[in-house]
Amino acid sequence: MPSVLVVEDDQFVRSALIRHLTEASHTVRSVGTALEALREVAHFRFDVVILDLGLPDLDGAEALKMLRSITDVPVIIATARDDEAEIVRLLNDGADDYLTKPFSVEHLSARMAAVLRRTRGVGGQAPPPRVIQVGGLSIDPLRRQAELDGTALDLTRREFDLLAFLAGRPGVVVPRRELLAEVWQQSYGDDQTIDVHLSWLRRKLGETAARPRYLHTLRGVGVKLEPPESAPAAALEPPA
């Protein structure tokens, strides 16, 4: 059952989308501003975002760029604007598809299905990823859950993505450029973004940069995750 975030400030359009998508067996959450949308994708997992451009707090084109800085969730633009140059620019900025209002719910459903097929790969979803064990860390990419010594970690979407990426390469120093490309889906960016998320992760793992246990930064080189010296090496297990 695909999970959808509707970002639309027009209450009539928003209600209609929620109703039709729910009837089509989608799980739907909705917001009316760009900032609310950013909070939603930071804390919840979605299969697709339907984004209006005419939002009251921030233009949807800018909202798209901000969404792309924190998530790779597929985004379908839904708006009354039909300027071809703008459509091309939005697609180049990371939109996965574009619908011009008014459109039918059948048209939207078909576009959503096509986007989900592309992002999941031909033939359906990829095989379920395995549970990653690194010392006392247990990371389940399928359920997007992480535990430390049996206690659940309360991670944001990006924190989880960063932790899972590093845990999948235990003991390997990952360059910051690779983290930006693989976790943030950016070819370039500010190192401070990585530093901030590493700081938040360390706090939740009960460590500091001065006294690391799992996360180790090699200045000028990159970041690695490895078990504490007294912990067993990493292992991969199939999900329960």
Side-chain angles (χ1 to χ4, degrees):
M1 186 188 311
S3 175
V4 184
L5 175 64
V6 174
V7 187
E8 170 65 64
D9 68 318
D10 186 308
Q11 190 59 52
F12 176 79
V13 175
R14 187 169 159 187
S15 297
L17 286 173
I18 293 171
R19 183 175 67 256
H20 289 302
L21 290 170
T22 301
E23 290 174 352
S25 299
H26 297 301
T27 300
V28 185
R29 292 179 67 91
S30 67
V31 294
T33 68
L35 292 180
E36 289 175 317
L38 292 169
R39 282 195 292 267
E40 286 287 306
V41 298
H43 290 91
F44 298 97
R45 178 180 175 84
F46 295 99
D47 294 298
V48 65
V49 173
I50 300 172
L51 175 66
D52 179 46
L53 293 183
L55 300 173
D57 59 335
L58 190 67
D59 184 78
E62 291 301 314
L64 173 64
K65 293 179 181 178
M66 296 177 72
L67 282 170
R68 276 291 162 259
S69 71
I70 62 173
T71 180
D72 58 355
V73 63
V75 176
I76 298 176
I77 301 294
T79 181
R81 305 178 195 176
D82 59 0
D83 180 72
E84 183 176 355
E86 182 174 28
I87 294 173
V88 171
R89 177 169 55 82
L90 289 164
L91 292 172
N92 287 333
D93 284 343
D96 294 87
D97 207 341
Y98 192 104
L99 279 173
T100 302
K101 298 175 182 176
F103 52 81
S104 68
V105 66
E106 290 80 13
H107 191 177
L108 173 61
S109 295
R111 293 292 187 95
M112 286 176 55
V115 165
L116 290 173
R117 282 197 302 272
R118 290 199 300 269
T119 55
R120 292 173 174 174
V122 178
Q125 295 186 6
R130 295 172 291 178
V131 174
I132 304 170
Q133 294 284 160
V134 182
L137 274 172
S138 176
I139 302 164
D140 187 338
L142 181 62
R143 297 180 176 85
R144 295 188 66 82
Q145 296 174 351
E147 295 182 352
L148 176 61
D149 299 327
T151 301
L153 295 172
D154 182 15
L155 304 177
T156 66
R157 181 186 181 92
R158 188 61 69 199
E159 289 169 357
F160 182 89
D161 291 342
L162 178 58
L163 181 64
F165 186 80
L166 290 171
R169 297 151 184 79
V172 175
V173 179
V174 181
R176 289 171 176 268
R177 180 176 297 181
E178 184 176 348
L179 288 176
L180 284 170
E182 298 296 334
V183 179
W184 276 267
Q185 302 296 309
Q186 295 179 357
S187 57
Y188 62 90
D190 188 349
D191 281 0
Q192 187 175 3
T193 299
I194 298 175
D195 291 334
V196 169
H197 282 81
L198 285 172
S199 177
W200 291 341
L201 267 179
R202 285 193 174 102
R203 189 179 311 160
K204 294 178 180 181
L205 294 176
E207 61 182 66
T208 65
R211 301 187 65 180
R213 294 182 64 238
Y214 286 92
L215 293 169
H216 301 264
T217 300
L218 281 73
R219 188 177 299 276
V221 182
V223 183
K224 68 176 178 178
L225 184 147
E226 61 183 7
E229 292 183 2
S230 60
L236 295 174
E237 300 175 356

